[in-house]
Amino acid sequence: MRTNVRFHFLDSLRGFAVMGILLVNAADIMNLGQNAEVQLHRQIPLVENALYYLVSTRFVPIFCFMFGMSMGFIIDSASRRGDPAWKTLLRRLTVLLAIGALNSILYPSEVLRSYAIGGAIMLPFVLKLKRSVLLLLGLLATAGAYAVMGGGEASIPGLFLLVSRVVSLFLVGIW
């Protein structure tokens, strides 16, 4: 029987993404600048624009990627134990939705609810489709979300599909 394997690099990457999300959203969370005057058609400086695209917008996709990988690990773990993976994941997604709902009282822009809802919607696909189909659908959905919406919450379903079963298989195969 296989023992549980921890991927410390993935734990570190998850922590990096969470800390980055907190850093990027710190001003919004603390309501800094809430009384600032809105400037319509403001010219955004090149450095601010570069920081936004190279730093600020990178943490949520990393965290989303990690979330999808966790789904794959949970599915693998449940199947090794002989438990129905859908029950385990649905229970976890329900708890995540509850935490997100409570968190949204303090911070309305939180994303945990979107992860829970996106994960629940993608769950049947993740559990039933072949890995190659998940990879293709994930690539198409993620590319489409970035092309049409610029990423953000629209990229959650595609990233879940992309990594939920494909990357976890790759990592388990390596280690």
Side-chain angles (χ1 to χ4, degrees):
M1 176 179 224
R2 184 181 188 148
T3 60
N4 289 341
V5 176
R6 280 306 294 184
F7 299 102
H8 298 290
F9 172 74
L10 298 179
D11 292 336
S12 299
L13 189 58
R14 186 179 294 114
F16 174 74
V18 169
M19 293 307 297
I21 289 168
L22 286 173
L23 178 66
V24 167
N25 292 312
D28 189 31
I29 291 169
M30 295 183 289
N31 295 318
L32 297 177
Q34 67 183 9
N35 296 326
E37 189 176 309
V38 175
Q39 298 176 355
L40 297 177
H41 309 292
R42 176 176 79 96
Q43 188 70 14
I44 300 172
L46 179 62
V47 173
E48 187 178 333
N49 222 359
L51 281 174
Y52 176 76
Y53 285 107
L54 297 175
V55 179
S56 297
T57 60
R58 297 304 117 210
F59 295 111
V60 171
I62 291 170
F63 189 75
C64 191
F65 189 84
M66 302 303 297
F67 187 83
M69 287 181 65
S70 296
M71 284 181 71
F73 291 139
I74 292 167
I75 292 168
D76 293 340
S77 176
S79 64
R80 279 195 311 273
R81 290 189 318 266
D83 296 339
W86 70 269
K87 281 185 179 181
T88 303
L89 280 168
L90 199 54
R91 183 177 61 246
R92 287 176 176 234
L93 291 169
T94 302
V95 170
L96 185 65
L97 182 62
I99 292 169
L102 289 173
N103 190 36
S104 69
I105 294 169
L106 298 173
Y107 184 59
S109 299
E110 72 85 37
V111 74
L112 296 178
R113 290 172 302 173
S114 298
Y115 282 8
I117 293 167
I121 291 170
M122 294 297 110
L123 188 57
F125 298 102
V126 169
L127 293 173
K128 297 293 180 190
L129 295 177
K130 293 180 180 180
R131 284 182 168 95
S132 58
V133 175
L134 288 173
L135 177 62
L136 179 62
L137 288 176
L139 286 170
L140 290 173
T142 302
Y146 278 92
V148 174
M149 304 287 288
E153 289 185 31
S155 66
I156 291 173
L159 286 169
F160 283 178
L161 290 176
L162 184 63
V163 298
S164 61
R165 303 291 290 145
V166 178
V167 175
S168 66
L169 174 69
F170 176 71
L171 287 172
V172 170
I174 289 176
W175 280 278

